[in-house]
Amino acid sequence: MTQEKHVAAPGPSGDEAAPAQDRFGITVAVVSVVAVLVVGQAFITIPLMPRLSSAWGVSQASASWATTVFAVAYACGSLAGGPLSDRYGRRTVLAGSVAAMAVATALVPLATGLTWASAARALQGLTAGSFMPMSYAYLSERVPERRLPLALTTVNAAGGASAVLSQIEGQVLGSALGWRAVFLLSAPLLALGALAIRRVLLPGTVRIHGQGGAVPGGGARVLLSARLLPLLVISLPLLGSITAIYTVVQLYGPADLVGDPGAMLGLRASALPAMVLAVLAAPLLGRVPALRRAAAALGLAGAGLVGAAPAGGGTVALGAALFVFVLAVSTAGPAVVQAIGATAGTARTTAIAAYGFLLNLGSGAGAQLPLAIGNVAGVALTLAGLLTACVGLLALARRAAVRHGRISPADPVNAASRAGHPRRRPDRPRVDAPCGTGR
């Protein structure tokens, strides 16, 4: 790989706050489509578990490790993306990782047992790991802040939609052509995605004005700070809750649902409108401070899971509860990413990489949680409790941000607009300000 040059981003001056605004639509579209292909591989084995267990001669519970090893390797791969993209450029790392993932995906159908399949899935996850966090880093650097919530929500929703679309793909193609065909068709699509990333994204790495060079050891101090650490901890149950709830429904859902492929397909597809709604609402919700937006969304997600607990015995009620849950998580994720990016300063790339690591570590744990609890209601209530605790962590993060002068303790939603500009040091972005009021 060759090193790409660093590009200085212009200072925030209205619509000229980012260098790639004229490519906004095509950039977000390409990153979102590739996100579906990449992230979807984490979930594509869920509907294939009956076929995988038969092909590999193991139980369905053992076959679920094909999901877990991907997620754990994905988490590890996300840590490498930060330093590599700082050295070689976001575009190079994004395109290269997707191309490598295409090769790894083509290896999965060659596996004849769980051991070799797990090794191939781990390689898949390792090569995929840097895509989402470095996509968020690229967008945070290149997109004007007033449009950043829409960009992040769209890409996040695409990644979330992949959890549904990939399960539909796995169920339909697995039934029609066999489980190996699912991966053999995914590999060339990933290769095309790598070419699209290379063609559309801009080279180089943006250095934001007002952020000096990184201080040695400063990244670790920022990650462990009271204003950032709670945001990173929250990432554990975000994706993990999606993995856990769909895995427990697959394994222990209502008999009329698990035994009816059409009903299961409908349940999975019912989450797609929720993700579309999250994208459509992003411009309006972007006016709400990131921390408040995340807290409200996580509270709603917890309520959806509480509703899923008694609904575990009925398909329609379960689908309605999961609609609320998916809508809320699709809103919370981008808000947390935006808050992390604004809080981390010069450690933004490291912080987003850490977010990706913990996000996917949580996904791996989420695949195993149903095996430990063994029923839909227990998993749903456990996840609801975790998400409720995350609301408390957001309150701690906001209190720390107030203490460090990052936000105003009084009415942060309207304070900036009343003043005309945020009262803060120029090198300290507001993490609890509406989009467009801070740097």
Side-chain angles (χ1 to χ4, degrees):
M1 287 189 291
T2 59
Q3 294 188 32
E4 293 183 350
K5 64 181 180 180
H6 293 283
V7 180
S13 57
D15 292 346
E16 298 179 357
Q21 57 179 321
D22 57 328
R23 303 167 65 92
F24 175 81
I26 186 64
T27 297
V28 173
V30 167
V31 173
S32 297
V33 170
V34 179
V36 171
L37 298 173
V38 171
V39 181
Q41 291 299 307
F43 303 92
I44 206 165
T45 55
I46 293 177
L48 295 175
M49 282 193 288
R51 291 177 174 80
L52 296 178
S53 64
S54 176
W56 298 336
V58 296
S59 66
Q60 286 195 49
S62 297
S64 70
W65 279 100
T67 301
T68 300
V69 295
F70 180 100
V72 173
Y74 194 121
C76 295
S78 66
L79 292 177
L84 285 175
S85 68
D86 283 342
R87 180 176 179 84
Y88 298 106
R90 311 281 188 245
R91 185 184 69 173
T92 297
V93 170
L94 286 168
S97 63
V98 176
M101 187 184 183
V103 176
T105 301
L107 297 177
V108 177
L110 303 179
T112 56
L114 180 60
T115 300
W116 286 108
S118 296
R121 288 284 287 167
L123 183 59
Q124 257 194 312
L126 191 64
T127 53
S130 63
F131 183 81
M132 289 302 287
M134 290 308 99
S135 294
Y136 291 144
Y138 180 91
L139 294 172
S140 296
E141 294 168 349
R142 301 282 188 172
V143 173
E145 189 173 0
R146 67 180 179 84
R147 306 180 81 176
L148 185 57
L150 176 59
L152 292 177
T153 301
T154 302
V155 174
N156 183 81
S162 70
V164 178
L165 293 173
S166 64
Q167 291 184 64
I168 295 173
E169 176 193 359
Q171 182 176 333
V172 173
L173 292 180
S175 299
L177 302 175
W179 71 269
R180 288 182 171 85
V182 175
F183 297 97
L184 291 175
L185 290 173
S186 297
L189 291 176
L190 286 164
L192 290 175
L195 292 175
I197 288 288
R198 183 71 185 179
R199 182 174 181 81
V200 171
L201 268 59
L202 297 175
T205 302
V206 175
R207 292 195 185 281
I208 306 298
H209 286 311
Q211 294 181 355
V215 179
R221 288 195 296 272
V222 172
L223 294 183
L224 296 175
S225 67
R227 62 184 185 274
L228 186 57
L229 183 59
L231 298 177
L232 295 176
V233 173
I234 287 169
S235 64
L236 281 166
L238 275 178
L239 187 58
S241 60
I242 295 178
T243 306
I245 199 67
Y246 278 103
T247 299
V248 76
V249 168
Q250 174 70 47
L251 294 176
Y252 308 111
D256 61 331
L257 178 64
V258 176
D260 185 348
M264 186 66 80
L265 189 66
L267 179 68
R268 288 171 176 139
S270 67
L272 293 177
M275 297 172 186
V276 173
L277 181 58
V279 173
L280 294 177
L284 179 62
L285 294 178
R287 301 175 185 176
V288 180
L291 293 178
R292 287 188 173 183
R293 192 163 76 245
L298 288 173
L300 182 61
L305 288 170
V306 169
T315 301
V316 175
L318 182 60
L322 290 181
F323 179 91
V324 174
F325 164 70
V326 171
L327 172 62
V329 172
S330 298
T331 302
V336 173
V337 171
Q338 187 177 0
I340 289 174
T343 300
T346 55
R348 173 189 289 172
T349 303
T350 301
I352 293 180
Y355 166 84
F357 171 77
L358 294 172
L359 189 76
N360 291 285
L361 198 64
S363 178
Q368 297 302 308
L369 183 63
L371 304 180
I373 297 178
N375 61 81
V376 174
V379 170
L381 291 176
T382 299
L383 295 174
L386 290 174
L387 294 179
T388 301
C390 288
V391 176
L393 289 175
L394 284 170
L396 294 177
R398 185 181 183 280
R399 181 180 300 176
V402 170
R403 191 165 57 246
H404 286 81
R406 295 276 179 157
I407 62 175
S408 169
D411 192 14
V413 176
N414 298 316
S417 60
R418 286 197 304 265
H421 56 81
R423 295 180 179 179
R424 58 177 175 85
R425 284 173 50 180
D427 60 337
R428 288 191 172 186
R430 285 168 57 92
V431 301
D432 201 21
C435 184
T437 63
R439 188 176 304 180

